[in-house]
Amino acid sequence: MQLSLGEHINRFVPLSRSEEQILNSYTKSQDVKRKEILLSNGDVSRSLYFVEKGCLRMYFINDKSAEQITQFALEGWWLTDFFSFMDNTPSDYFIQTIEASKLVSIDRLAFEDLLKAIPQLERYFRIIMQKNLAASQLRTKYLYEMSKEEFYYHFSSNFPEFMQRVPQYMVASYLGLTPEYVSELRKKNS
């Protein structure tokens, strides 16, 4: 379901029309092509991205020169390398569009000013960060607690939209599996 940034924020904290106008003055909307790199390893993350339409992935290159996906972002999700964004340090990650996407970005330098201009956005971002942290903790628990097969079936049954929209090799990378193993599991399940 496609939501504008203002609609998404209003699900958590109310914004007046004038506050929505202030928000729009601090953000930038952009249409981005499929497979476009938004952040490269070694660059400082200068933007926080909200996905209005499309899909992003964040990944790093591991010691075997393979891509290891750590996060996806669909409609209504935020994505950036938060260490790099907050500390102004080089990123260890890449962020890339999987699909043609419509994004809203907030510049790192303007972020603090935006929070001062609209104080209830502090609450909004706290709620979003708590949800993000909780999801990350749960994923880590599942990585240790479930077998690879259980983890795959859990993910595919709880996030069918990812299974439809994200290439199989990317799902495999995110789950820490090989594409061949994911293929076997799909065959076994059908």
Side-chain angles (χ1 to χ4, degrees), residues 38-74:
L38 303 172
L39 175 68
S40 293
N41 174 293
D43 292 344
V44 174
S45 181
R46 303 204 185 284
S47 296
L48 176 58
Y49 297 102
F50 177 80
V51 181
E52 285 191 334
K53 183 175 189 286
C55 185
L56 309 179
R57 69 179 178 138
M58 187 162 84
Y59 66 96
F60 65 93
I61 306 297
N62 68 23
D63 57 2
K64 296 176 185 165
S65 297
E67 294 176 0
Q68 182 61 59
I69 296 173
T70 59
Q71 289 186 336
F72 290 110
L74 292 173

Side-chain angles (χ1 to χ4, degrees), residues 10 17 34 44 50 73 86 88 113-114 124 136 160 163 168:
N10 276 302
R17 284 203 188 280
R34 179 178 177 265
V44 174
F50 177 80
M86 300 310 289
N88 197 34
D113 291 337
L114 173 62
Y124 167 76
S136 180
M163 303 305 285
Q168 182 174 305

Side-chain angles (χ1 to χ4, degrees), residues 8-181:
H8 190 267
I9 290 171
N10 276 302
R11 288 177 148 192
F12 300 94
V13 298
L15 290 182
S16 68
R17 284 203 188 280
S18 63
E19 288 168 332
E20 285 189 27
Q21 290 173 340
I22 293 169
L23 174 68
N24 291 337
S25 73
Y26 280 93
T27 60
K28 177 183 157 189
S29 291
Q30 57 192 105
D31 292 315
V32 186
K33 295 177 184 167
R34 179 178 177 265
K35 292 190 174 185
E36 191 166 320
I37 299 288
L38 303 172
L39 175 68
S40 293
N41 174 293
D43 292 344
V44 174
S45 181
R46 303 204 185 284
S47 296
L48 176 58
Y49 297 102
F50 177 80
V51 181
E52 285 191 334
K53 183 175 189 286
C55 185
L56 309 179
R57 69 179 178 138
M58 187 162 84
Y59 66 96
F60 65 93
I61 306 297
N62 68 23
D63 57 2
K64 296 176 185 165
S65 297
E67 294 176 0
Q68 182 61 59
I69 296 173
T70 59
Q71 289 186 336
F72 290 110
L74 292 173
E75 290 83 3
W77 294 22
W78 288 93
L79 190 63
T80 194
D81 173 351
F82 282 101
F83 285 117
S84 177
F85 183 78
M86 300 310 289
D87 295 340
N88 197 34
T89 56
S91 178
D92 293 327
Y93 297 95
F94 294 85
I95 295 178
Q96 181 184 39
T97 57
I98 295 173
E99 303 170 347
S101 300
K102 181 175 181 182
L103 308 175
V104 176
S105 60
I106 301 173
D107 181 78
R108 185 182 66 77
L109 298 174
F111 186 67
E112 288 298 321
D113 291 337
L114 173 62
L115 296 180
K116 288 175 189 166
I118 309 174
Q120 66 266 35
L121 287 183
E122 288 268 6
R123 181 170 190 270
Y124 167 76
F125 280 106
R126 178 184 51 80
I127 292 167
I128 296 304
M129 296 301 169
Q130 287 172 330
K131 288 178 171 287
N132 189 331
L133 179 59
S136 180
Q137 287 174 329
L138 194 56
R139 178 176 178 243
T140 301
K141 180 180 185 262
Y142 290 156
L143 276 168
Y144 289 105
E145 184 178 79
M146 295 180 171
S147 70
K148 291 179 184 257
E149 186 173 352
E150 288 170 329
F151 193 33
Y152 170 79
Y153 288 127
H154 171 80
F155 183 81
S156 61
S157 63
N158 284 290
F159 302 101
E161 189 170 2
F162 278 108
M163 303 305 285
Q164 308 262 328
R165 293 173 66 181
V166 175
Q168 182 174 305
Y169 77 93
M170 288 186 189
V171 171
S173 172
Y174 177 72
L175 297 175
L177 307 172
T178 64
E180 296 79 17
Y181 186 63

